[in-house]
Amino acid sequence: MKNAGETLLQLQIMFIFVANVGPNMNKKLFFLLLFLSTANLISCNKNNPDKDTDNGDTSLWVALYDGEDAFSEFKDDKCYIYRDGNLQYTCPSSSAVVRKGTDIYALAFGESKAGKYSIWKNGKRLYGLDSEGGFPLDYAGACGLCVVNNDVYSCGTDAVFDSDGKLKSYKGRVWKNEKPILELESRGSVIWPSRILVEGDDVYVAGALYDSANKEKYLAVWKNGKLFFLGKGSGWEHINDIRSYYGSLYYAGTQCNEGGGGADARIWKNNTVLYDLTGGCVWAHVYNMAFKGSDLYAVGNRCRHTGGHVIFDGAIWKNGEIMWAIEDTEQTSIAIIGDDIYTAGIVETSNGKLAQIWKNGKVYQTFDYSQIVEIIDACK
């Protein structure tokens, strides 16, 4: 179960978004999408994915999250790491897992009821993250992870207490190994960082920002702690992925349209919209990107209406155009290995939600005991 502070933060974010999603959206689907958009599980940057950044490893690495209701009781679950279908490691529940060559790093939060965050490597605990104020991360949320050389960078929120020891607010932070190194500019807003990218001496963080005073929502990118990009919307705003490719920055995210009646899936290049992936749907989400040569691939969901309800179908885009649409699925991550395109997500069945892997748009593997599965991306 979550502690009071962490639950308060998540309820704040949920309240902001629930007001804008509309009455017909499936409740469980909403919470799963919210979890995926804020936890942003499995991604790390590669500046040039065509280069051999994986030490010659062409394995399919997958993180599997066990549990009937993972997004509400995540602390009681574990994270299982598979390589080509074979179990390699387990660790506590994790909000991010990345790969450096054949080493697997996880940002785990399920190791104790207190919700303390820690870094794990190949199934072994390395260290816990420090809070700048001297408090353990009992009331905080760490979400993004990236490994550069031998340093582990993570981003998330840290708790701020008043003089009476009561939870006052949260600050967005960046940690290098176990120590906080940056505080994210907030402008008095609620911050929800979710992805981190390190390029040379620059640290980029992507996520969302909510100005509670003016009731304005933004998708946001920070560079070295300062706001670098703001995209204003009217509801559920969030950047779900950030990449650097041949000197350009790419963001993938969701931006609510005017009036809050729907959401658009978009990809930005250097702070300018490159693709609108919505395609006439009321709701669309994009979660993850991958590059091969001059082509940009993305994965997410688009909606259709059935019986007055909004139903999401998985979508795989290539250069802004639909490549495959897979009905009754929620596609959340993508990887390109050789000439094959792998995606991961959830499928609706008569037995409930099941985790699946797809290869070139066709079912490749089904897990009958999990609701959340992600392809583990490789750091450069």
Side-chain angles (χ1 to χ4, degrees), residues 79-131:
C79 177
Y80 301 87
I81 309 299
Y82 287 83
R83 181 182 187 182
D84 291 332
N86 299 309
L87 181 64
Q88 301 292 302
Y89 312 112
T90 62
C91 65
S93 297
S94 303
S95 58
V97 183
V98 297
R99 177 166 60 90
K100 178 76 169 177
T102 57
D103 290 324
I104 303 297
Y105 293 81
L107 177 54
F109 63 88
E111 65 175 310
S112 73
K113 294 293 183 181
K116 297 178 182 178
Y117 283 73
S118 56
I119 301 297
W120 291 61
K121 178 181 178 182
N122 298 336
K124 307 261 183 213
R125 188 181 190 276
L126 294 181
Y127 44 77
L129 298 183
D130 292 343
S131 169

Side-chain angles (χ1 to χ4, degrees), residues 249-251 266-277 289 291 296 319-320:
L249 287 174
Y250 294 81
Y251 323 135
R266 292 192 171 115
I267 292 176
W268 290 259
K269 179 181 179 181
N270 297 329
N271 294 2
T272 301
V273 173
L274 178 64
Y275 300 125
D276 189 327
L277 309 176
M289 295 180 289
F291 294 87
L296 189 162
N319 300 328

Side-chain angles (χ1 to χ4, degrees), residues 156-158 170-175 182-186 191 193:
T157 52
D158 200 357
Y170 295 88
K171 290 186 177 180
R173 299 205 194 279
V174 172
W175 289 263
L182 288 174
E183 181 179 319
L184 303 180
E185 179 184 354
S186 69
I191 293 178

Side-chain angles (χ1 to χ4, degrees), residues 306-365:
T306 301
H309 296 281
V310 176
I311 305 298
F312 281 91
D313 294 329
I316 296 91
W317 294 273
K318 178 181 179 181
N319 300 328
E321 301 293 332
I322 281 285
M323 188 175 181
W324 299 309
I326 306 175
E327 289 190 357
D328 299 318
T329 69
E330 300 156 21
Q331 302 282 324
T332 57
S333 65
I334 184 170
I336 301 174
I337 301 175
D339 294 325
D340 295 317
I341 300 173
Y342 294 86
T343 62
I346 305 299
V347 61
E348 292 273 7
T349 74
S350 58
N351 296 321
K353 293 179 183 290
L354 298 177
Q356 280 190 342
I357 303 291
W358 290 263
K359 179 179 179 181
N360 301 324
K362 305 293 183 182
V363 174
Y364 178 72
Q365 187 175 8

Side-chain angles (χ1 to χ4, degrees), residues 27 41 79 84 98 103 112 123 172 184 187 192 240 254 257 378:
K27 182 180 178 182
L41 293 172
C79 177
D84 291 332
V98 297
D103 290 324
S112 73
L184 303 180
R187 298 186 182 178
W192 193 259
N240 302 315
T254 299
N257 52 40

Side-chain angles (χ1 to χ4, degrees), residues 94-313:
S94 303
S95 58
V97 183
V98 297
R99 177 166 60 90
K100 178 76 169 177
T102 57
D103 290 324
I104 303 297
Y105 293 81
L107 177 54
F109 63 88
E111 65 175 310
S112 73
K113 294 293 183 181
K116 297 178 182 178
Y117 283 73
S118 56
I119 301 297
W120 291 61
K121 178 181 178 182
N122 298 336
K124 307 261 183 213
R125 188 181 190 276
L126 294 181
Y127 44 77
L129 298 183
D130 292 343
S131 169
E132 188 174 86
F135 295 92
L137 288 178
D138 292 357
Y139 297 93
C143 299
L145 185 66
C146 194
V147 181
V148 179
N149 298 321
N150 293 319
D151 292 316
V152 181
Y153 293 82
S154 56
C155 67
T157 52
D158 200 357
V160 178
F161 297 85
D162 62 20
S163 57
D164 295 326
K166 295 181 180 180
L167 181 63
K168 180 181 179 181
S169 63
Y170 295 88
K171 290 186 177 180
R173 299 205 194 279
V174 172
W175 289 263
K176 181 178 180 181
N177 303 318
E178 67 268 40
K179 300 296 184 183
I181 61 168
L182 288 174
E183 181 179 319
L184 303 180
E185 179 184 354
S186 69
R187 298 186 182 178
S189 303
V190 178
I191 293 178
W192 193 259
S194 59
R195 292 290 175 100
I196 187 165
L197 161 70
V198 178
E199 282 291 296
D201 295 329
D202 295 321
V203 178
Y204 297 89
V205 173
L209 180 149
Y210 176 65
D211 182 349
S212 56
N214 296 313
K215 301 187 182 305
E216 294 179 336
K217 300 94 176 177
Y218 301 89
L219 25 73
V221 176
W222 292 263
K223 179 180 179 180
N224 300 326
K226 301 297 183 183
L227 280 167
F228 178 70
F229 170 72
L230 280 175
K232 185 178 178 181
S234 57
W236 187 353
E237 270 65 48
H238 207 95
I239 291 181
N240 302 315
D241 199 7
I242 180 171
R243 305 274 171 154
S244 174
Y245 194 65
Y246 289 113
S248 293
L249 287 174
Y250 294 81
Y251 323 135
T254 299
Q255 187 171 27
C256 282
N257 52 40
E258 290 188 20
D264 298 321
R266 292 192 171 115
I267 292 176
W268 290 259
K269 179 181 179 181
N270 297 329
N271 294 2
T272 301
V273 173
L274 178 64
Y275 300 125
D276 189 327
L277 309 176
T278 310
C281 295
V282 176
W283 288 89
H285 306 276
V286 56
Y287 295 114
N288 198 209
M289 295 180 289
F291 294 87
K292 185 174 178 63
S294 59
D295 295 320
L296 189 162
Y297 297 83
V299 67
N301 305 304
R302 298 201 308 174
C303 74
R304 57 187 167 91
H305 291 276
T306 301
H309 296 281
V310 176
I311 305 298
F312 281 91
D313 294 329

